[in-house]
């Protein structure tokens, strides 16, 4: 996901539902979306923007997806309670199978967020699929309402992310006052453009349940009785709500990096704070292990001290850099945390090495590389679509606490033992304190008749964005589901992350979609692939670092 304020602070969390008005169970037969009959999808060549976006995935496999991707526009009701009223337009893509004859099926995919662009995610999933999957399935991507190439596109304040932003702080009065003012202004800007009384009241109709109904509209437009689906991160919440609301319409469903259905959404951020802190400390240990490469300290404690010393220094004076075009970028403490948080999301050589190199650049006074790694523009703004939709969904899926004293007390308590992400997460979500749109009541996931028994879940035990405990809660709620666990892995969402081993993660994914085969046990465990090695590493790690890596 694109960075804005925090690199997807509660990204990967799902939302709750509105429209079922507090129902504890749901039935497809009574859902209001049944009244709407969409037109069939008319596939055509995609716009240059989508084709160019798909080119990023051309190198992932033998098929150049940018040359085969197709597009269609689908009208859906703004409000499913009024199917003949105002319409929105969803951008849908198809990356077609390469086998002969008719495709085995269409897999609808979603990358998470909320706010993640899904039209191009379809091309990415297709490109990462095995050759057998590419021959068998079309992959259907879609930009959920308000997102990306769908219209209208929700944006509120494109200057919101200009750097350096007010320091996240640790609960001080000045920091709190600055951020409360900033987040309130953002919520007000969103309401002015898309709230009640505007030309199109999108803010009251952009909850998880609205997108779930859109998914069923796509199913109808594809002409299928059942929906095959792969959802990652927040996309797992879309899937679990869909399975609860439309249980008889589920074909094959994979959920990867799973949202805790009991912690939507305020408690989800608190869960993340602890998990991200553990992962960043582990990452500091990895940097220490390769002190011969990065020279930031040969023990986790030394790297920790360096990082938090740098954070404090940037709070006093941000580092800026002007490029050859005259554009100025800056790194303050917020930008530093937002950037390196990616290393706590995903275990990979490219990610872990690039941010360690960026930290090392500060120590060697390589300002261009340091700012190039962590910096954000100081003027001119950037696309805030992802952040706007994130708030629009999260803030209205359910009722958030509106008492700032509770937020502050919880943050102060969590920050004592998990200081890395706590306050950044507070301010990422703080627009919900002021959000002016109708809040809904979450669907009680799994509380329905005819719950499908064939849902396949994937989860890493050290996933920080959607912690493992939440996956276990979902596994219990989705009775009959199966769970593939990657022990010790720190990657958020584990399908298509390189585990091609027989009996590895991707083998379970393929067997399920190709043959309907579920693991023989309710829960199966696979080992992680192991931590990456820096490209420049030539010497063995120090013994002290080996001993002190935080598990």
């Amino acid at each position: 996901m694109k960075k804005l304020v925090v690199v997807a602070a509660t990204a990967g969390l799902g939302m709750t539902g509105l429209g079922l008005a507090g129902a504890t169970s749901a039935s497809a037969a009574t859902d209001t979306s049944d009244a709407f009959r969409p037109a069939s999808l008319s596939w055509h060549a995609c716009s240059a923007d989508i084709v160019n976006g798909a080119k990023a995935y051309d190198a992932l496999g033998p098929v150049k997806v940018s040359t085969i991707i197709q597009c269609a526009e689908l009208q859906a009701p703004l409000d499913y309670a009024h199917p003949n009223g105002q319409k929105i337009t969803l951008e849908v893509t198809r990356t077609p199978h390469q086998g002969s004859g008719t495709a085995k099926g269409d897999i609808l995919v979603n990358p998470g967020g909320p706010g993640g662009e899904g039209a191009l995610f379809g091309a990415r999933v297709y490109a990462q699929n095995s050759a057998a999957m590419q021959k068998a399935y079309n992959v259907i991507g879609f930009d959920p309402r308000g997102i990306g190439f769908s219209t209208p596109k929700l944006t509120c304040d494109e200057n919101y992310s200009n750097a350096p932003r007010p320091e996240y702080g640790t609960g001080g009065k000045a920091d709190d006052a600055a951020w409360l003012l900033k987040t309130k202004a953002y919520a007000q800007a969103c309401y002015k453009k898309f709230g009640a009384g505007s030309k199109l009241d999108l803010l009251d109709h952009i909850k998880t349940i609205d997108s779930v109904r859109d998914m069923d509209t796509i199913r109808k437009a594809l002409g299928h009785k059942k929906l095959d689906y792969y959802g990652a991160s927040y996309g797992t919440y879309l899937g679990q709500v869909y399975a609860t609301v439309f249980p008889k319409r589920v074909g094959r469903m994979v959920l990867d990096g799973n949202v805790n259905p009991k912690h939507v959404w305020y408690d989800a951020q608190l869960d993340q704070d602890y998990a991200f802190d553990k992962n960043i400390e582990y990452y500091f240990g990895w940097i220490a292990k390769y002190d011969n490469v990065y020279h930031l300290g040969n023990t986790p404690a030394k790297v920790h001290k360096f990082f938090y010393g740098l954070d404090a220094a940037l709070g006093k004076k941000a580092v800026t850099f002007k490029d050859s075009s005259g554009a100025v970028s800056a790194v303050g403490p917020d930008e530093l945390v937002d950037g390196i948080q990616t290393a706590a999301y995903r275990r990979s050589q490219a990610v872990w090495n690039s941010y360690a190199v960026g930290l090392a650049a500060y120590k060697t006074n390589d300002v261009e590389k340091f700012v190039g790694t962590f910096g954000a523009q100081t003027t001119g703004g950037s696309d805030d679509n992802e952040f706007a939709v994130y708030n629009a969904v999260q803030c209205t899926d359910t009722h958030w606490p509106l008492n700032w004293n509770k937020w502050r007390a919880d943050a102060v308590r969590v920050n004592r033992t998990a200081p890395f992400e706590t306050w950044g997460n507070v301010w990422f979500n703080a627009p919900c304190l002021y959000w002016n749109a109708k809040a809904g009541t979450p669907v009680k996931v799994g509380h329905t008749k005819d719950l499908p028994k064939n849902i396949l879940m994937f989860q890493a035990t050290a996933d920080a964005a959607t912690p493992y405990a939440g996956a276990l809660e979902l596994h219990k709620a989705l009775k009959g589901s199966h769970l593939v666990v990657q022990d010790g892995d720190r990657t958020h969402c584990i399908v298509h992350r390189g585990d091609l081993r027989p009996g590895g993660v991707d083998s379970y994914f393929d067997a399920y979609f190709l043959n309907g085969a579920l693991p023989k046990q309710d829960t199966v465990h696979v080992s992680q692939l192991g931590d990456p090695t820096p490209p420049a590493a030539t010497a063995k790690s120090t013994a002290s670092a080996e001993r002190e890596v935080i598990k």
Side-chain angles (χ1 to χ4, degrees), residues 104-143:
K104 186 178 182 69
D106 297 305
I107 302 176
L108 185 69
V109 300
N110 181 273
E117 295 185 10
L120 287 169
F121 185 64
R124 172 182 156 183
V125 170
Y126 182 92
Q128 292 177 318
N129 270 343
S130 65
M133 286 289 290
Q134 289 180 347
K135 289 180 180 179
Y137 279 99
N138 304 320
V139 178
I140 309 297
F142 75 108
D143 282 340

Side-chain angles (χ1 to χ4, degrees), residues 35 117 129 142 161 206 236 276 319 345 407 480 515 546:
E117 295 185 10
N129 270 343
F142 75 108
S161 63
I206 196 169
T236 69
F276 273 116
V319 174
Y345 261 98
W407 286 55
N515 304 312
E546 287 281 12

Side-chain angles (χ1 to χ4, degrees), residues 417-435:
T417 55
F420 170 67
E421 175 57 24
T422 296
W423 281 97
N425 226 351
V426 167
W427 300 125
F428 194 83
N429 291 282
C432 291
L433 282 164
Y434 308 106
W435 206 257

